[in-house]
Amino acid sequence: MDPAPRRRLLAFAASLAVITYVDRVCIAQAAPLIQQDLNLTKVQMGWAMSIFYWTYGIFEIPWGRLADRIGARKVLLRIVVAWSVFTAATGAARSFPFLLGVRALFGVGEAGCFPSLTKAFSTWLEPADRVRAQGLLWLSARWGGAFTPILALALIGAVGWRWAFAAFGLLGVVWAVAFWKLYRDKPTPSSEPAHPPVPWALYVGSPRVWLLWAQYLFLAYGAALYVTWIPTFLATFGELSPVERALLAAPPLFFGGLGSLFCGYFLSWLSRATGSGSRARRTMALLGFGGSAAMLLVSTLLPHPAWKMAALGVAGFANDLAMPPSWGACMDLGGRHAGTLSGSMNMWGSLGGGLAPVVAGYLLGDSGDRWNAVFYAAAGAYLLGLLCWFTLDSTTPLEKEATP
């Protein structure tokens, strides 16, 4: 098979992953200015950052199912343009309800991105290449988020936070035009029904699926901290300049990207060494959840912000050791329904991600200085996620459970 289309897919997937995290992380960098201009409380700002996760989660399954039915290309073209428009519209917010509404619609659009890309991977790539592709995908996503604070700081300084959102929205439109011209879904004739029904009864009745959903909820709860409240946390250190705060916000996502890439490539070796793909995934996931919890707790003991963020950088690396195993499990367990199953997993992840900034807002309270409580809660979520992986078989297709 000609490798050019597969390389093109990986290039489009990596660049879109960058854009998704640029668009969702930029609000965290602008949060102090948005709070000031719109006269928002910390709880209101927490809801403004949280609403994305709720609508993102609600639309995960519909978009994933649609990608299974009509192909990733048609879905991605529509949603990328839509969320780019709502990213730009964020800069027009003059009130809390408008901000809440436009971020909700932004979440609706972004919801279809990773399920659609997962569907494209399951269509174009050989099984041995899929987990590595997920590693590259999440490296790109995390690094997009890691460098956004610097980019956002420069743009906000040059044109203000409102026009900065317009500039970020333009990125997705440019991507969509290139994608429309250069990418096609793989034409693979098949004797299977064109739109086989989703085996929801099998999903709901499978303990493995519930473990998969639960672990991703807890993983996303911890990861959401890095893309929502960290810039506000760093603003509490008055000795730091805006540039220093932007630089210190990068380690969790920067090293998270390295964790994804490392896991994506290391898993193949570990699978061969252990003789079991499921055991290899479990090992990496346990290291990821356990390491994240431990480093969050360590961060609360360190006095200087640079050391705190270094610890959170290691936590981010560990967090993303669990990402390729999770998404690889969706492709192996879901089979021809990979888009739908990955969408359902990401829906549960969005529930966890949506809870995190709201819970943090309430934990911080009016004084806004109870940051250790925020980190303890995230560490607890990681420990709960760790428990899910002890018995999770992440490689045997679910359809085999239905075979007498």
Side-chain angles (χ1 to χ4, degrees):
M1 182 187 296
D2 182 7
R6 285 176 287 175
R7 293 196 194 103
R8 192 178 302 128
L9 169 62
L10 291 174
F12 275 122
S15 57
L16 186 60
V18 170
I19 292 171
T20 62
Y21 266 68
V22 167
D23 287 350
R24 70 176 70 173
V25 171
C26 59
I27 193 172
Q29 191 64 32
L33 293 174
I34 296 173
Q35 278 186 256
Q36 180 181 345
D37 287 358
L38 275 58
N39 195 27
L40 305 180
T41 66
K42 279 187 170 58
V43 171
Q44 286 177 314
M45 195 65 227
W47 276 108
M49 292 188 287
S50 169
I51 192 67
F52 156 81
Y53 290 97
W54 298 104
T55 55
Y56 183 87
I58 291 169
F59 281 86
E60 282 289 320
I61 293 176
W63 286 129
R65 176 58 177 156
L66 191 61
D68 284 335
R69 288 174 60 88
I70 68 174
R73 181 175 184 266
K74 292 179 180 178
V75 174
L76 286 170
L77 282 173
R78 289 161 174 76
I79 64 173
V80 174
V81 172
W83 93 55
S84 299
V85 169
F86 294 121
T87 297
T90 303
R94 300 287 176 179
S95 66
F96 176 61
F98 184 95
L99 179 65
L100 208 61
V102 78
R103 296 308 290 180
L105 292 171
F106 167 66
V108 171
E110 273 214 358
C113 176
F114 291 109
S116 296
L117 291 175
T118 299
K119 176 61 178 178
F121 286 168
S122 67
T123 300
W124 276 98
L125 303 180
E126 298 297 329
D129 297 326
R130 293 171 185 172
V131 172
R132 287 196 293 271
Q134 288 288 351
L136 174 64
L137 183 70
W138 288 102
L139 166 75
S140 304
R142 299 310 197 202
W143 279 15
F147 293 108
T148 294
I150 296 295
L151 179 59
L153 180 67
L155 270 176
I156 292 170
V159 299
W161 70 268
R162 297 184 182 278
W163 283 105
F165 277 98
F168 288 131
L170 182 61
L171 292 175
V173 176
V174 173
W175 183 94
V177 171
F179 185 72
W180 173 69
K181 290 184 176 181
L182 298 175
Y183 177 80
R184 296 292 182 273
D185 288 320
K186 183 180 179 181
T188 52
S190 174
S191 59
E192 296 178 346
H195 308 303
V198 177
W200 287 115
L202 179 60
Y203 288 2
V204 175
S206 171
R208 291 193 294 148
V209 171
W210 282 101
L211 288 171
L212 184 68
W213 287 343
Q215 63 88 29
Y216 207 67
L217 182 151
F218 297 125
L219 185 69
Y221 183 101
L225 176 66
Y226 309 136
V227 297
T228 54
W229 281 109
I230 288 298
T232 303
F233 167 66
L234 290 170
T236 63
F237 296 94
E239 70 271 22
L240 298 176
S241 69
V243 173
E244 288 174 325
R245 292 199 298 269
L247 288 171
L248 285 176
L253 292 175
F254 179 85
F255 288 104
L258 292 179
S260 290
L261 189 66
F262 171 79
C263 182
Y265 281 89
F266 185 69
L267 261 179
S268 297
W269 177 87
L270 190 60
S271 295
R272 292 192 299 271
T274 61
S276 168
S278 182
R279 189 178 301 126
R281 286 179 181 170
R282 182 180 300 122
T283 299
M284 297 305 295
L286 292 175
L287 287 173
F289 279 101
S292 297
M295 295 313 298
L296 275 169
L297 295 175
V298 167
S299 74
T300 66
L301 305 176
L302 301 173
H304 193 276
W307 287 110
K308 287 180 179 292
M309 294 310 300
L312 292 182
V314 179
F317 179 90
N319 179 98
D320 277 32
L321 293 179
M323 292 294 285
S326 299
W327 288 86
C330 287
M331 288 186 280
D332 287 350
L333 271 62
R336 56 185 172 175
H337 300 292
T340 305
L341 183 60
S342 64
S344 69
M345 183 188 75
N346 218 16
M347 179 191 73
W348 282 90
S350 298
L351 175 62
L355 285 171
V358 174
V359 170
Y362 283 105
L363 288 175
L364 290 170
D366 294 333
S367 62
D369 60 356
R370 295 196 288 268
W371 287 100
N372 280 356
V374 174
F375 296 141
Y376 293 151
Y382 280 127
L383 290 176
L384 290 172
L386 180 147
L387 296 176
C388 297
W389 273 95
F390 279 109
T391 58
L392 177 56
D393 172 7
S394 62
T395 57
T396 304
L398 287 170
E399 290 185 349
K400 289 190 176 182
E401 293 184 4
T403 303

